[in-house]
């Protein structure tokens, strides 16, 4: 494969941005997306040969040793952080999409029960928080099927959306389309609007995700140094998209994790952002499945 025959779309919508409006004439659809992975990460405690590395543990354990400190960072997300985020969402009356690793929900039935009784969307995020590009096609298919069955068991409905851990494999979209029950995936970072791709000869909807307005930047270099930086970034993003939304719809995603955004100061920044957007108006806080269904109903795939 050479420079001019890559299977990549570097053009997208270009200057011809779709102009069909969101519900209630909203200028911006805001997707609050919470990745619930706690307990399903790589760890020696789970019998894995490797340990997760990304966290706020100051003194990581030496390679090959169980890292109790880092494990406790993830435990904070499931014990406290997820509930603080749930309270913020409930206080403002907005619904979110929880990208859930199925095993994480099995390990915390209380969180599964909350999601089952709420109106939040539960989308798929792996059986565990595994890396699909390291699996064979058959292994990935088995994990996909196991995740669907598990989530349907814990929260009462099967997932209709999907996001992989960071990097999808060459097979992921084919497997999603072959399974037949998914309305969208979020395995891309390449646009401010949903778009269609063709997979196995059929149209498939992609709702791009973000690593820019993502709270993982609290723990990576050149990221958010404090909640005010996150709030400023989110507010500036929304205000710019709101301005552009006068000409056509825009979508804004905020990616969060309970172990990071669930801390008090960071949760307060999320709350302040929601209040800002609601006060300005012209905003639709929507689950990703709602955005997908709206797009599917109002936009036709290209020929």
């Amino acid at each position: 494969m050479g420079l001019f025959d890559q299977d990549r779309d570097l053009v997208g919508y270009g200057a011809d941005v779709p102009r069909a409006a969101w519900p209630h004439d909203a200028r911006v659809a805001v997707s609050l997306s919470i990745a619930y992975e706690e307990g399903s990460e790589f760890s020696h405690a789970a019998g894995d040969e490797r340990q997760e590395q990304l966290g706020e543990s100051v003194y990581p354990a030496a390679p090959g040793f169980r890292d109790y400190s880092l494990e406790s960072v993830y435990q904070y997300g499931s014990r406290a952080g997820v509930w603080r985020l749930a309270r913020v969402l409930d206080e403002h009356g907005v619904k979110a999409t929880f990208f859930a690793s199925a095993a994480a929900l099995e390990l915390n039935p209380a969180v599964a029960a909350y999601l089952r009784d709420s109106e939040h969307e539960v989308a798929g995020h792996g059986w565990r928080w595994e890396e699909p590009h390291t699996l064979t096609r058959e292994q990935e298919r088995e994990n996909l099927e196991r995740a669907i069955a598990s989530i349907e068991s814990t929260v009462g409905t099967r997932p209709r959306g999907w996001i992989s851990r960071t990097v999808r494999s060459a097979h992921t979209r084919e497997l999603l389309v072959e399974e037949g029950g998914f309305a969208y995936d979020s395995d891309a970072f390449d646009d401010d609007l949903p778009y269609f791709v063709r997979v196995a000869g059929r149209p498939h909807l992609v709702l791009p995700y973000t690593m820019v307005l993502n709270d993982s930047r609290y723990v990576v270099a050149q990221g958010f140094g404090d909640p005010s930086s996150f709030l400023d970034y989110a507010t500036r993003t929304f205000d710019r998209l709101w301005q552009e939304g006068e000409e056509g719809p825009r979508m804004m995603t905020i990616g969060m994790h309970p172990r990071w955004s669930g801390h008090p100061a960071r949760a307060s920044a999320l709350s302040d952002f929601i209040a800002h957007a609601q006060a300005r108006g012209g905003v639709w806080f929507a689950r990703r499945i709602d955005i997908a269904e709206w797009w599917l109903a109002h936009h036709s795939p290209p020929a």
Side-chain angles (χ1 to χ4, degrees):
M1 180 175 291
L3 177 62
F4 293 103
D5 57 358
Q6 303 175 71
D7 58 345
R8 301 168 63 194
D9 181 359
L10 298 169
V11 178
Y13 291 120
D16 188 21
V17 179
R19 296 181 180 275
W22 296 123
H24 317 298
D25 294 322
R27 294 188 178 193
V28 185
V30 175
S31 167
L32 302 178
S33 301
I34 298 171
Y36 187 70
E37 304 147 346
E38 281 75 0
S40 69
E41 75 276 6
F42 291 111
S43 69
H44 295 315
D48 299 314
E49 294 182 359
R50 56 180 281 198
Q51 187 90 23
E52 286 296 338
Q53 299 298 310
L54 190 60
E56 295 179 285
S57 176
V58 178
Y59 300 108
F65 289 87
R66 182 174 176 182
D67 195 332
Y68 290 94
S69 179
L70 188 61
E71 286 177 15
S72 70
V73 170
Y74 284 76
Q75 288 161 212
Y76 183 90
S78 63
R79 292 163 59 103
V82 68
W83 300 112
R84 181 167 289 110
L85 291 179
R87 288 192 292 272
V88 169
L89 298 175
D90 292 345
E91 288 166 4
H92 291 279
V94 297
K95 303 304 176 187
T97 292
F98 283 73
F99 282 119
S101 299
L105 292 179
E106 289 194 18
L107 289 166
N108 196 333
V111 171
Y114 166 76
L115 293 174
R116 183 175 60 244
D117 296 338
S118 74
E119 295 180 6
H120 300 304
E121 174 193 9
V122 179
H125 191 29
W127 154 239
R128 287 183 62 190
W129 194 32
E130 69 260 20
E131 298 170 330
H133 63 287
T134 66
L135 306 176
T136 66
R137 192 181 198 280
E138 182 60 23
Q139 288 172 331
E140 187 175 358
R141 183 188 65 78
E142 291 175 356
N143 283 4
L144 175 67
E145 293 176 349
R146 188 177 185 184
I148 294 169
S150 174
I151 291 173
E152 186 167 17
S153 175
T154 55
V155 302
T157 56
R158 61 151 294 153
R160 296 181 60 210
W162 186 267
I163 192 169
S164 303
R165 174 175 175 161
T166 308
V167 182
R168 65 181 173 91
S169 80
H171 312 297
T172 302
R173 283 192 175 144
E174 290 180 358
L175 293 170
L176 295 176
V177 170
E178 288 174 8
E179 196 279 332
F182 288 93
Y184 72 91
D185 78 60
S186 290
D187 281 337
F189 312 100
D190 53 5
D191 214 307
D192 297 316
L193 286 174
Y195 61 87
F196 290 100
V197 294
R198 294 197 71 80
V199 180
R202 285 176 277 180
H204 174 69
L205 187 63
V206 178
L207 270 64
Y209 189 60
T210 180
M211 293 304 292
V212 175
L213 190 45
N214 189 297
D215 67 357
S216 62
R217 297 186 62 186
Y218 280 124
V219 294
V220 297
Q222 297 179 335
F224 301 125
D226 54 66
S228 296
S229 299
F230 171 91
L231 176 60
D232 182 63
Y233 207 108
T235 300
R236 287 177 179 270
T237 300
F238 175 79
D239 288 348
R240 178 63 192 184
L241 291 175
W242 191 92
Q243 179 182 343
E244 295 178 4
E246 184 176 6
E247 298 179 354
R250 294 294 188 272
M251 183 180 77
M252 174 181 173
T253 297
I254 301 179
M256 294 168 286
H257 304 73
R259 60 188 175 274
W260 295 324
S261 282
H263 286 271
R266 296 169 180 172
S268 73
L270 172 64
S271 179
D272 289 348
F273 165 74
I274 296 173
H276 169 82
Q278 289 178 327
R280 183 152 198 180
V283 59
W284 178 37
F285 280 96
R287 307 174 305 173
R288 294 180 89 78
I289 188 61
D290 299 324
I291 296 172
E293 289 180 341
W294 180 269
W295 204 262
L296 289 165
H298 293 83
H299 298 267
S300 299

